[in-house]
Structure formats: structure tokens, C-alpha cells
Amino acid sequence: MANIKETSVIQENKSNAFAACPVTFVMERIGGYWKPIILFNLLTGTKRYHELRKSVPGITEKVLIQQLKQLESDQLVTRISKPVVPPYVTYELSSQGRALRPVLLAMAEWAVGHGGAQSAQFEKQLADFPGEE
């Protein structure tokens, strides 16, 4: 993998945007295709790795592991490992991760209002949106 030149113009622009914009801060943590889906699936509670993999169809093992590690390093997800054979690993939202529920709910509500032909289906799914713990 290529090293990132810390003094590049692109890196300086990213740093400036990151420092000046709270949305950029949030998107650095939850941006991308898979992270919001993983966070949404963990809103219902603690899940073992295989349960999480099944609840996020289409994601590869490699990508799921990468995304979970990033979410854990950003302190949005907590990984709990029990030293047994076979390994018993569970993932749950940290308090910071649970605090993102209103953000994810707002995204879902926006989809209902702006989803076009899919709005009706989104509205039905919104009724099943995970509640507060």
C-alpha cells in the first residue's frame, strides 16, 4: 500500500475540512457504504460475528473485519472476546455508537421522504426501526 505524503495539498485540504466542518468529522467515522449498515444492525443489540455477517448480506469477510476494526478504533463498537475454543467474539455499540441512533433514524426518515418509488417500502421498514435501549 502506498504511503500518504503528509505534506500534500490534498492532505492539507482534508485536514482543513476536517477541522472546520462537523459533518466531515462524522463522515470520517461512519462514512462509506458498509459502516452505517453495520451500525444499524448493531442497534438491535449485541451480535456474534457470524450473526452480523448474515445480517449484512453482500459484504465480504475481509471488508467486514476491516470495517469492524475501524469502528472499534473510532470507539463506536466494542469487541468482546472470550478465550475459549472455538473463539467466542461479540460486537456491540459503545455509548458513542448508541448516540448515533438519531443520526441513523434521520437518514432512514430522509429515505422515506425522498426515496421515490421505494418510499412506501422504506416507510414500512421505518416502523421496525430499532428502538432505544
Side-chain angles (χ1 to χ4, degrees):
M1 193 167 191
N3 290 335
I4 297 174
K5 185 178 175 185
E6 296 295 329
T7 58
S8 72
V9 173
I10 293 172
Q11 291 305 315
E12 185 177 340
N13 290 343
K14 277 178 134 179
S15 294
N16 291 339
F18 183 75
C21 179
V23 174
T24 304
F25 178 82
V26 174
M27 292 309 293
E28 281 287 317
R29 301 297 185 279
I30 68 166
Y33 184 80
W34 296 109
K35 286 181 185 177
I37 297 169
I38 293 167
L39 292 169
F40 173 79
N41 279 282
L42 287 173
L43 282 174
T44 57
T46 303
K47 287 194 179 355
R48 289 192 66 179
Y49 175 82
H50 75 277
E51 293 173 308
L52 196 51
R53 176 112 194 276
K54 286 180 183 177
S55 69
V56 184
I59 194 169
T60 65
E61 260 187 76
K62 177 185 175 187
V63 171
L64 179 57
I65 290 168
Q66 287 174 339
Q67 300 295 292
L68 285 169
K69 283 182 180 180
Q70 289 174 9
L71 289 166
E72 186 181 7
S73 73
D74 288 334
Q75 299 176 347
L76 298 176
V77 169
T78 304
R79 179 182 188 270
I80 302 162
S81 177
K82 294 181 183 173
V84 294
V85 176
Y88 189 88
V89 178
T90 58
Y91 293 91
E92 65 184 7
L93 293 176
S94 66
S95 59
Q96 287 183 36
R98 285 189 301 275
L100 287 168
R101 184 192 178 280
V103 174
L104 297 169
L105 178 60
M107 291 168 67
E109 289 171 340
W110 186 90
V112 169
H114 299 88
Q118 293 176 293
S119 287
Q121 179 181 343
F122 292 155
E123 191 166 13
K124 289 177 189 173
Q125 292 171 331
L126 191 60
D128 295 328
F129 197 86
E132 306 238 10
E133 292 179 358

